[in-house]
Amino acid sequence: MVRRIMGLRKQKLIPTIGDRVFLGTNTGNLLIYSLDKAQDGSFHATLEEVKGGLTRRSIEQLGFIKDTYTLISLYDGAVNLHPLPALTPTQTLLETRGALCFALDTSVIYTNEDGTTTTTKDPTLKQVPAVVTLLAVGCKRRIVIYSWKDGEIQNPPQEVNLPHSPRAIAFPTSKVVAMAYTQTDHALLYLDTRSVAEVVLPNTLHPSSSTGLTGAMGMGMNAISGFGLGGYMTLGLGAKSKPSIIKTAEGEFVIPKETSTVFLGSDGKPSRKLAIEWPATPEETALAKPYLLSILPGTATQTGGVPNQTPNPVLQARSSLTLSVAQTISYPFGVLRPNRAVPPPQYSLRLLSPSSTSTAPLFLISAPNDRTNLATEGSTLWMFNIQPWSTQIDELVADCKYSDALALLESLEDGILPDKIKRRAHIQALHGVALIAQKHFEAAFEIFLNLDLNPAKIIAMYPVEISGRLSKPESSWIELFGEKSQNNSGTSPLLEDTEPGAGSANVAVIGEESGAPEGVTPEPSGPKLNSKSKEYRDAVDRLLEYLTQRRQKIKLALSAINIMSSDAAKTTRLSEASVDEIMILPDAPPTALTPEQLFKFAQIVDTALFKSYLAVKPGLIGPLCRLDNWCEVSEVQNELRARGKFTELKFLYQGKRMHSEALALLKDLGEKETDLDEQLDPTVAYLQNLGPEYLPIIFEGAEWVLKRDKNKGFHIFTSEEHVLPKNEVVDFLQKIDPMVSIRFLEFLIDEKKETESSFHDRLGDLYLRSALSGDLPSDVKTTAINKFISFLVTSKYYHPDHLLASLPHDDMLEARAILLGRLGDHKAALSIYVYDLQNFVKAEEYCKQLHFTNPNEQGVYMMLLRLYLLPEDPKRSRSSQNQYLQPALDLISKHSPRLDAVETLQLLPPLVTASSVQEYLCEALRTPRIHVRFERELWKARSEQVSQILMTYESKRVKIADSRL
């Protein structure tokens, strides 16, 4: 905004602004004003002091050395130092006789331990900082360099001879001095080598397509900010169109060249592809960082798109960052109200040279061209102050000038805006949105990858086939990021956000080509993407890269809290959350999110990832389905079905533990097959991989398989992958088909060596039911009976009393005999074999088995012999006496050692001849027992005989004489 500070009429002042301002006049006086800001925003100036007598000539230039608190002045062809606040004593730098201009540079130099110096602070090194101020004074055909270190002047000054006299000086860096000899001749002085290099300006400048100026656009300058000590300038209208060099940033300066302003680096080469092309040659140019301000002829410009009708000059401000027009102001300024009845006089404007302080406001003097008016009105001093940075940035964002806003934000020091980091992230996100609208997808996602945004906001900018219900129209994109939508015109406001310099008014391209320069983006038209176009594929590819990287970060955050995608079933589904709930998820790094927010982010990212692959890379969807993922199945299953990706859908269901859906899919696919293996094997394999926690699902799926093929259905429950609850499986199979249940129990007992009695009892029950079933064919029934008998004989773990109670009284006699034997009732068991079954061989086998298990048990054979020879039933005894005699005699002949001989002979009927039992008797006599008795008796008789003979000989007396020897 423009503020009228004071009118100068015969050096009479009208106060209107605050703090202190030093004005050098063309009469050699130094005026010091105090500026105060009133509550209504106006400024009041108070003359504090007039330092007269400094010189009889004009004070050409003023400056300020902050670390020595010294005012510098240039007058009488020399540079002078004035200590503040007294401004005395004045020290004239004798080496600067013939001075034409000067420039100051202040920087912090860090000295390392090895003695080397640098301007960069390294926290890893031990460095000593020092504030170094350089004063370069341009004199006739030479330049003199003074330096101060921490406020102490360093002697002697450096002096370098030059081929020409420098008329303007600037410091691009602390080691390079840029000099302007004339408006066309420029050079660089390198202080380290004291060498001078000529600057060659580019010969060709190609204007861009835009040629007109627009007013009041871009970065605004329409608010007052405080002015501190540090703004020093000369007062007076002197010669115009003098050579000029202006430092715009560290290592960069500009040289006005006729209607162009070229940006150069410290190497003397153009630092940018773009230059400013003014509609006319600027009368003067100055920098109020970050704005370049030039005074232009009024008739050559237009304000607000309307050509100026007044011949008065125009002040135009451009951003040195983006080259866009910030403001164009025609004179007289709005604070003046000229009399419309009287033709307005013509005025001249002059920019006062500001100090090197970047925060200093810009001052301008207006004076009427007519000498009479000048004598009556005098000159007027105007101050141009920049709006607060936050307000400027907000205005740019509101106008969708995100590139300009970012450029302005990055130019500010970190301490100026307390929320700089937050603002940067917010504007970068909006800039990325604008780039998406302009179809610059790669550049957009380079921004998004460096920001921690809610991925739903980015996905929402894509077509419905990828974003689903999150999809938003382009007019609502910036609303996702907290900005108000602006759609008053037919075109999207996002298309107005272009890269710095692109499409700006009067921007020239440096170089020989007439086309668009590198880095300049033409304004896009912004039509919707065609799903078959290259742009569409490029857009989705960039989204895939973004989602993949986001997925990795989210996965690491979930792993850190021991959460896997298999836990997704325990969380709220994404489809159950509203779009508003999804969009208000915070823009934060994954590590700062709550588990529930992480779940949502993972679901959003993986679901969009699936849809993106389906859109451009459907062949790669299979591996993604097999990976651990958080995809919301309901969002992609229909698309997978439509594309025939049934295998991928099955794996997706499986990974999400949606086993019922997977089995239903396999069943639907199987019913379309004609080959039984292709029909059932996929379902069987799937069910074999399910654990016992999914038993109801296993039963549900197995029922369909068992109805089609019992053999394949049986293999579901014999898999080695998981051990299923045996009782539940037996119950289920028994309901489906008892024969399959029998097979499963046989598998448990025979192959798995199951010893639990309940399973043996159940198998026995099932065998018995099958044997007693009247619906079975005779051969099947016989097989069942044989299996039952074999089971009773071989198994040791069933409860015989349980099975015995289930047996019918008049059937299954052999089974009853076996069970009675297991209960220890051997007599009853043998009675069945002998009397009911008339099966003497099995009766004898029964005795053999029992004797084998208990070798000392001899009574079982005698028990069988009694049943043969002494039936308990008298009727049976009389009618069957001869019937059981032969089996009894066979038993006696085969197992005589195991029979009691005496009892056996007593049991034999009287009519049995000795010849019938001759073999038994002989065998009985040859038995070790009888043989031992005989031998014992013989030895006993012989012993008694010998003893008797000995006694006989001992009772006789014999006389032994010589004759008997």
Side-chain angles (χ1 to χ4, degrees):
M1 177 177 284
V2 183
R3 292 290 185 182
R4 181 177 182 179
I5 300 177
M6 61 197 75
L8 303 177
R9 184 183 304 159
K10 297 181 182 180
Q11 298 188 4
K12 299 294 182 179
L13 303 180
I14 301 175
T16 43
I17 205 170
D19 210 348
R20 300 180 72 193
V21 178
F22 291 74
L23 298 177
T25 69
N26 55 3
T27 59
N29 295 328
L30 182 66
L31 310 180
I32 304 174
Y33 288 88
S34 173
L35 303 178
D36 299 314
K37 184 177 181 180
Q39 293 182 354
D40 59 358
S42 61
F43 287 83
H44 302 277
T46 303
L47 179 63
E48 288 189 349
E49 188 177 359
V50 177
K51 289 288 185 180
L54 294 179
T55 179
R56 295 181 180 180
R57 301 180 181 178
S58 173
I59 299 177
E60 302 293 336
Q61 190 175 350
L62 294 176
F64 174 65
I65 302 178
K66 184 177 181 181
D67 49 332
T68 61
Y69 203 59
T70 302
L71 180 70
I72 304 177
S73 64
L74 171 59
Y75 57 80
D76 293 337
V79 174
N80 307 277
L81 303 180
H82 309 276
L84 293 174
L87 298 175
T88 56
T90 300
Q91 178 185 356
T92 301
L93 302 178
L94 301 179
E95 296 84 357
T96 63
R97 290 296 182 186
L100 301 172
C101 60
F102 69 83
L104 287 166
D105 178 79
T106 301
S107 60
V108 179
I109 304 298
Y110 298 91
T111 304
N112 301 324
E113 291 181 311
D114 57 0
T116 60
T117 59
T118 178
T119 57
T120 304
K121 184 177 181 181
D122 189 347
T124 63
L125 299 178
K126 185 177 181 181
Q127 298 175 314
V128 178
V131 178
V132 177
T133 299
L134 298 177
L135 169 64
V137 181
C139 306
K140 294 182 178 180
R141 303 178 69 87
R142 62 191 176 95
I143 187 171
V144 182
I145 309 297
Y146 293 87
S147 64
W148 285 264
K149 184 175 182 180
D150 291 334
E152 296 182 2
I153 192 169
Q154 307 294 301
N155 290 318
Q158 300 181 37
E159 186 171 331
V160 180
N161 294 325
L162 302 173
H164 304 285
S165 300
R167 301 289 178 174
I169 298 176
F171 278 92
T173 70
S174 59
K175 296 184 178 180
V176 180
V177 180
M179 302 173 293
Y181 299 137
T182 65
Q183 289 185 336
T184 57
D185 295 329
H186 307 82
L188 293 176
L189 170 63
Y190 296 95
L191 299 180
D192 289 343
T193 61
R194 303 183 66 178
S195 60
V196 179
E198 183 180 357
V199 175
V200 180
L201 296 179
N203 293 325
T204 306
L205 294 176
H206 299 287
S208 66
S209 58
S210 177
T211 58
L213 290 179
T214 55
M217 294 178 61
M219 302 182 183
M221 298 176 58
N222 47 6
I224 293 293
S225 61
F227 169 65
L229 183 63
Y232 303 89
M233 65 291 294
T234 58
L235 180 61
L237 297 175
K240 297 182 180 180
S241 301
K242 295 195 305 181
S244 176
I245 284 186
I246 304 168
K247 178 180 179 179
T248 56
E250 183 64 24
E252 184 181 64
F253 62 99
V254 295
I255 296 178
K257 179 187 176 183
E258 298 179 352
T259 59
S260 303
T261 298
V262 184
F263 292 81
L264 302 173
S266 58
D267 57 355
K269 298 179 180 179
S271 59
R272 307 189 193 184
K273 290 288 185 180
L274 300 175
I276 297 177
E277 185 73 10
W278 305 96
T281 302
E283 297 176 359
E284 280 188 307
T285 301
L287 177 74
K289 194 173 181 180
Y291 300 100
L292 283 170
L293 297 101
S294 291
I295 297 176
L296 303 173
T299 55
T301 62
Q302 51 182 302
T303 303
V306 179
N308 288 319
Q309 302 299 327
T310 174
N312 288 326
V314 172
L315 180 67
Q316 186 175 96
R318 286 208 180 204
S319 169
S320 64
L321 307 173
T322 66
L323 310 187
S324 59
V325 177
Q327 197 170 7
T328 302
I329 308 175
S330 298
Y331 193 85
F333 304 132
V335 293
L336 294 178
R337 298 188 180 184
N339 187 353
R340 296 184 180 272
V342 180
Q346 296 184 9
Y347 286 83
S348 297
L349 301 180
R350 177 71 189 275
L351 291 170
L352 299 183
S353 303
S355 72
S356 59
T357 304
S358 61
T359 57
L362 185 76
F363 289 85
L364 181 145
I365 288 181
S366 63
N369 294 340
D370 183 77
R371 291 183 177 273
T372 304
N373 292 336
L374 178 63
T376 57
E377 295 181 13
S379 302
T380 303
L381 180 65
W382 302 87
M383 184 184 79
F384 294 82
N385 237 353
I386 301 174
Q387 270 188 336
W389 300 116
S390 59
T391 303
Q392 293 186 59
I393 293 171
D394 291 342
E395 287 181 357
L396 291 171
V397 170
D399 293 337
C400 297
K401 299 285 186 179
Y402 308 126
S403 298
D404 291 357
L406 282 174
L408 178 59
L409 184 66
E410 294 299 334
S411 69
L412 304 178
E413 297 179 1
D414 293 338
I416 294 179
L417 290 177
D419 58 346
K420 181 179 180 180
I421 296 176
K422 183 178 179 181
R423 279 178 177 268
R424 180 193 293 119
H426 177 65
I427 300 172
Q428 283 177 338
L430 292 169
H431 182 44
V433 173
L435 291 173
I436 291 287
Q438 299 167 17
K439 303 179 189 176
H440 304 313
F441 305 108
E442 184 175 358
F445 280 98
E446 285 180 3
I447 295 174
F448 292 149
L449 285 172
N450 294 321
L451 300 176
D452 293 305
L453 297 174
N454 177 357
K457 298 178 180 179
I458 298 173
I459 296 167
M461 294 185 285
Y462 274 74
V464 177
E465 57 266 25
I466 291 176
S467 57
R469 63 194 181 100
L470 300 180
S471 179
K472 296 286 185 182
E474 184 177 326
S475 59
S476 301
W477 286 358
I478 61 174
E479 293 180 359
L480 298 173
F481 297 86
E483 296 295 328
K484 293 182 179 179
S485 177
Q486 298 180 5
N487 196 20
N488 299 327
S489 62
T491 60
S492 171
L494 295 174
L495 302 180
E496 301 298 326
D497 179 36
T498 56
E499 292 298 323
S504 298
N506 282 28
V507 174
V509 181
I510 298 174
E512 298 180 357
E513 294 84 359
S514 60
E518 180 181 356
V520 178
T521 305
E523 185 173 299
S525 58
K528 293 185 178 179
L529 292 176
N530 185 344
S531 61
K532 296 182 180 180
S533 66
K534 183 180 180 299
E535 288 179 336
Y536 178 83
R537 186 176 184 87
D538 181 54
V540 180
D541 284 342
R542 300 288 82 76
L543 179 63
L544 282 172
E545 294 176 6
Y546 169 77
L547 294 174
T548 301
Q549 292 197 28
R550 288 290 293 174
R551 187 176 192 273
Q552 294 300 324
K553 293 181 179 180
I554 294 171
K555 184 178 180 181
L556 289 175
L558 289 168
S559 299
I561 55 178
N562 299 319
I563 295 178
M564 305 301 293
S565 65
S566 55
D567 300 321
K570 305 175 184 177
T571 64
T572 304
R573 290 190 175 185
L574 184 64
S575 56
E576 298 175 2
S578 66
V579 175
D580 292 339
E581 290 174 341
I582 295 173
M583 291 302 176
I584 63 173
L585 290 172
D587 296 328
T591 53
L593 299 174
T594 65
E596 185 64 27
Q597 291 169 344
L598 272 176
F599 294 153
K600 290 290 188 294
F601 270 33
Q603 291 171 330
I604 292 168
V605 168
D606 279 5
T607 302
L609 196 63
F610 268 72
K611 292 184 177 182
S612 300
Y613 271 110
L614 282 172
V616 296
K617 298 179 181 179
L620 298 179
I621 196 67
L624 188 61
C625 291
R626 291 176 176 86
L627 290 175
D628 203 26
N629 65 79
W630 291 78
C631 176
E632 180 70 18
V633 179
S634 61
E635 298 278 344
V636 299
Q637 60 182 354
N638 292 335
E639 184 67 21
L640 287 172
R641 284 181 180 271
R643 292 173 177 263
K645 300 287 185 180
F646 300 113
T647 302
E648 290 79 0
L649 181 56
K650 181 200 72 173
F651 283 116
L652 183 59
Y653 282 143
Q654 188 174 13
K656 294 298 179 182
R657 298 184 180 180
M658 300 174 66
H659 303 301
S660 296
E661 290 81 354
L663 290 170
L665 174 65
L666 293 175
K667 181 180 178 181
D668 292 341
L669 296 175
E671 289 178 342
K672 299 176 183 178
E673 300 290 342
T674 56
D675 183 76
L676 187 64
D677 291 340
E678 294 180 359
Q679 186 179 86
L680 301 179
D681 285 350
T683 301
V684 172
Y686 191 96
L687 291 171
Q688 286 177 334
N689 288 320
L690 296 182
E693 64 271 23
Y694 301 107
L695 197 60
I697 297 176
I698 295 175
F699 289 161
E700 181 181 355
E703 184 174 357
W704 173 70
V705 179
L706 287 166
K707 290 180 180 179
R708 296 296 180 97
D709 189 298
K710 293 182 174 57
N711 182 55
K712 291 184 178 295
F714 167 75
H715 288 297
I716 295 172
F717 304 99
T718 59
S719 172
E720 298 292 336
E721 295 292 331
H722 300 283
V723 178
L724 301 177
K726 302 166 190 175
N727 284 310
E728 287 83 347
V729 173
V730 173
D731 292 338
F732 168 73
L733 293 177
Q734 189 170 343
K735 294 177 182 177
I736 301 298
D737 190 338
M739 299 306 295
V740 181
S741 182
I742 289 174
R743 186 178 176 186
F744 181 71
L745 288 168
E746 290 174 345
F747 166 77
L748 292 179
I749 294 171
D750 297 338
E751 297 188 26
K752 297 299 182 181
K753 308 303 178 184
E754 181 62 57
T755 59
E756 188 175 339
S757 58
S758 62
F759 295 108
H760 289 257
D761 289 339
R762 295 194 69 168
L763 181 57
D765 284 334
L766 290 173
Y767 278 146
L768 180 58
R769 294 179 186 179
S770 299
L772 297 176
S773 176
D775 300 332
L776 297 176
S778 59
D779 56 339
V780 177
K781 186 173 182 179
T782 301
T783 302
I785 293 173
N786 292 335
K787 282 188 174 183
F788 182 52
I789 298 301
S790 176
F791 167 75
L792 295 178
V793 174
T794 57
S795 177
K796 300 178 182 179
Y797 302 104
Y798 61 86
H799 294 95
D801 52 344
H802 170 74
L803 294 177
L804 184 61
S806 301
L807 284 175
H809 295 286
D810 56 351
D811 198 2
M812 306 288 291
L813 296 177
E814 185 177 358
R816 181 177 291 277
I818 297 172
L819 293 172
L820 289 172
R822 286 294 179 90
L823 291 173
D825 193 353
H826 304 300
K827 184 177 179 180
L830 289 172
S831 297
I832 294 174
Y833 283 120
V834 174
Y835 301 135
D836 297 325
L837 297 176
Q838 298 289 310
N839 194 333
F840 309 120
V841 176
K842 286 192 175 182
E844 188 175 337
E845 287 295 329
Y846 180 85
C847 293
K848 286 180 181 180
Q849 292 178 7
L850 187 60
H851 184 75
F852 179 77
T853 57
N854 187 8
N856 296 324
E857 184 68 49
Q858 297 182 1
V860 65
Y861 287 99
M862 289 303 303
M863 185 184 300
L864 178 58
L865 186 60
R866 293 189 197 100
L867 291 174
Y868 284 149
L869 300 177
L870 291 177
E872 294 182 357
D873 188 351
K875 295 181 180 180
R876 181 177 293 173
S877 176
R878 290 192 297 267
S879 62
S880 305
Q881 184 174 9
N882 295 329
Q883 181 182 359
Y884 300 115
L885 179 58
Q886 187 59 42
L889 294 176
D890 292 339
L891 180 65
I892 291 171
S893 62
K894 293 178 183 179
H895 300 284
S896 56
R898 298 176 181 85
L899 298 173
D900 184 270
V902 177
E903 187 177 357
T904 299
L905 292 174
Q906 291 175 354
L907 289 173
L908 287 173
L911 298 179
V912 176
T913 62
S915 61
S916 300
V917 292
Q918 179 182 359
E919 186 179 350
Y920 166 70
L921 294 175
C922 293
E923 185 66 28
L925 292 176
R926 284 194 293 267
T927 59
R929 178 180 176 189
I930 296 177
H931 179 74
V932 170
R933 287 180 63 186
F934 280 150
E935 187 176 0
R936 184 173 63 250
E937 292 298 329
L938 288 174
W939 280 106
K940 182 178 180 182
R942 177 60 178 165
S943 178
E944 290 178 355
Q945 184 183 9
V946 171
S947 297
Q948 187 176 3
I949 294 173
L950 180 59
M951 289 176 61
T952 302
Y953 283 118
E954 287 179 348
S955 64
K956 292 182 180 182
R957 295 186 178 185
V958 178
K959 183 177 179 180
I960 301 174
D962 294 337
S963 62
R964 296 189 68 120
L965 295 172

